[in-house]
Amino acid sequence: MEKIYDVVIIGAGPAGLSAGLYASRGKMSTLILEKDKTGGQIVTTHEVANYPGSIESATGPSLIARMVEQCKEFGAEIKKDTIKEIKTEEKIKVLVGEKETYQARTIIAAPGAIPRPMGVPGEKELTGKGVSYCATCDADFFTDFEVFVIGGGDSAVEEAMYLTKFARKVTIVHRRDELRAAKSIQEKAFKNPKMEFMWDTVIEEVKGDGVVESAVFKNVKSGELTEYHADEEDGTFGIFVFVGYLPQTDLFKGLLEMDETGYLITDDNMKTKIPGVFAAGDCRVKSLRQVVTAVSDGAIAAIQAEKYIEHTFHE
Ligand code: NAP
C-alpha cells in the first residue's frame, strides 16, 4: 500500500463518477472504489428523461457506461472492494478494504442509498420470488401477470407506468388518498388504462410457498384486512416496492455527522467535519436526490479536495 492517492472515492454511482472525472481531469491521482455494481441506483432505471441533454433512448446503464469511460479516459482507476474501516487521525487517511488497504490525501464518500423494504412478514423470504425493488430488472417476468406497486412517490408511479408495458394490470397501493409524485407524472398515470389505484392501503403480509401467492392488504382508515390471492391460472403476481431509500452510511457511523435517518451532513462545499473528507450524492442531507444533483455534488467535492490538497500538502 505504498501508493498514496490524492483522492479515494467510495461509490461509483453518478456522484462518485462525477467526482472521479473532475479529480482525474484535475490531474489528481484518483481511485474509485465500488463494493457492488458500478452505477448505483440509476442503472436500475429504464429511462432517464430529466437529466439535461438526455432526450432519446437514454437509459441508466448507457449514461453510466459513458461516465465510466470518461473517468477512465482521464486516468481514474476503478476497483471493486468493500471498505470496512476508515482511519482519519493522520493527514494521510487509511481505508481498510476487504481486498486491500488504501492511502489517501482526501476521501469523497459517495455510497448512495438503497431501496427501503416495507418491513412486513414474508417480504424478505419472497424477494426475487415475486417481491421486487427494480422494475427494469424484473418487469419481464410479469408479462401478462398482475402487479401491485407499493408507494406513491415519483419512483412508484414512474416504475408502475413502465410495468404497464408488461403486466396486464398494475395497481398502485398507496397509504394515503393522494400521490406524492410530481403532478406531471401523476397526470400520465391517471390516463393509463392499465393502471388502478388502491388508496389508504398498506400491505400487512406477503404469503407464498416459493413464490408470491397472496398478500394481505389493510385499509388504514377502516382497519379492514383483505387477502388478495393470485389468479388460479397465473399462480402468482408481482409486488414492486418503492417506498423510499436508505442511505448506505453505516461505514461512517461514529466518524461523520449524520441526521437521525443516517444521511450525511455536509456544508455547501460537500465538506464534512473531518478536514479532507467530503460527501456527495444521495447519501447527503439535501432537498433533491437526482442524477443532476449527484453529479453536481461530485464535481464540487472533487474541486474542494483539490483545494484542500493544495492548502494542506503543498504550502
Ligand atoms: P419518496 O419520494 O420518499 O416516496 C416514497 C413513497 O413511499 C411515498 O409516497 C410514501 O408515502 C411511501 N411510503 C414510505 N414508507 C412507506 C411504507 N412503510 N409503507 C407504504 N408506503 C410508504 O421516494 P421515491 O419516490 O423513491 O423518490 C425518492 C427521490 O427521488 C425523490 O426526491 C424523488 O423526487 C426522486 N425521484 C425523481 C424521479 C424523477 O424526477 N423522474 C424519479 C424517481 C425518483 P407518503 O407519500 O405518504 O409519504
Side-chain angles (χ1 to χ4, degrees):
M1 72 155 192
E2 315 78 53
K3 179 158 185 176
I4 300 172
Y5 288 95
D6 288 325
V7 189
V8 171
I9 298 160
I10 303 172
L17 292 169
S18 166
L21 167 65
Y22 274 76
S24 54
R25 196 162 179 259
K27 303 257 182 279
M28 292 191 279
S29 55
T30 304
L31 173 66
I32 306 171
L33 294 169
E34 174 58 55
K35 67 172 175 169
D36 204 358
K37 276 190 250 110
T38 308
Q41 283 179 64
I42 196 69
V43 289
T44 65
T45 306
H46 54 93
E47 191 188 344
V48 185
N50 56 2
Y51 184 67
S54 54
I55 302 171
E56 283 159 11
S57 69
T59 64
S62 68
L63 187 62
I64 288 299
R66 291 201 299 272
M67 287 186 191
V68 167
E69 202 185 313
Q70 208 177 1
C71 272
K72 286 184 176 166
E73 223 166 77
F74 288 107
E77 288 175 54
I78 303 182
K79 279 189 186 172
K80 202 162 234 183
D81 203 352
T82 304
I83 298 302
K84 294 285 175 200
E85 195 190 350
I86 297 176
K87 298 174 189 167
T88 58
E89 301 80 27
E90 308 292 330
K91 258 187 3 186
I92 300 296
K93 297 152 192 30
V94 177
L95 299 96
V96 183
E98 269 175 7
K99 293 184 186 159
E100 279 179 57
T101 296
Y102 310 89
Q103 298 187 96
R105 293 186 177 86
T106 63
I107 295 174
I108 299 176
I114 56 160
R116 184 212 305 267
M118 295 181 289
V120 300
E123 179 182 14
K124 211 171 171 186
E125 296 76 7
L126 291 162
T127 292
K129 297 165 182 160
V131 175
S132 170
Y133 304 87
C134 174
T136 316
C137 319
D138 298 330
D140 193 38
F141 298 133
F142 295 94
T143 300
D144 296 330
F145 282 76
E146 278 206 39
V147 156
F148 291 89
V149 170
I150 319 303
D154 288 339
S155 300
V157 182
E158 280 200 335
E159 299 307 307
M161 296 276 284
Y162 176 68
L163 283 159
T164 60
K165 295 180 189 173
F166 300 82
R168 68 166 182 270
K169 186 170 111 186
V170 176
T171 306
I172 289 195
V173 179
H174 187 34
R175 63 182 179 182
R176 294 186 287 133
D177 60 1
E178 198 184 359
L179 297 171
R180 175 181 293 277
K183 289 278 178 276
S184 56
I185 299 174
Q186 291 192 29
E187 277 167 20
K188 281 193 201 158
F190 290 137
K191 278 190 203 145
N192 189 316
K194 275 192 173 178
M195 295 260 288
E196 293 193 5
F197 296 85
M198 269 170 89
W199 302 113
D200 301 313
T201 304
V202 293
I203 283 200
E204 285 279 285
E205 188 175 354
V206 186
K207 296 183 189 175
D209 185 11
V211 289
V212 170
E213 289 166 3
S214 73
V216 179
F217 293 104
K218 181 183 175 184
N219 183 300
V220 292
K221 284 201 172 146
S222 65
E224 191 191 342
L225 296 175
T226 344
E227 186 162 351
Y228 176 85
H229 292 271
D231 183 279
E232 235 173 73
E233 266 184 32
D234 294 346
T236 188
F237 58 91
I239 299 175
F240 285 78
V241 182
F242 300 102
V243 296
Y245 290 90
L246 297 172
Q248 291 299 282
T249 54
D250 281 359
L251 172 65
F252 307 101
K253 273 187 186 147
L255 186 70
L256 302 180
E257 263 193 315
M258 42 182 87
D259 73 1
E260 68 287 351
T261 51
Y263 287 98
L264 301 179
I265 297 170
T266 69
D267 69 6
D268 288 349
N269 283 323
M270 310 305 138
K271 289 180 185 170
T272 69
K273 282 279 185 278
I274 299 180
V277 179
F278 305 85
D282 281 6
C283 67
R284 281 180 62 228
V285 173
K286 64 201 303 198
S287 63
L288 183 64
R289 294 194 177 88
Q290 297 269 290
V291 179
V292 75
T293 59
V295 297
S296 159
D297 284 4
I300 294 169
I303 298 299
Q304 289 299 324
E306 190 177 7
K307 283 192 190 341
Y308 170 83
I309 290 172
E310 195 58 39
H311 179 74
T312 313
F313 294 93
H314 301 314
E315 274 182 0

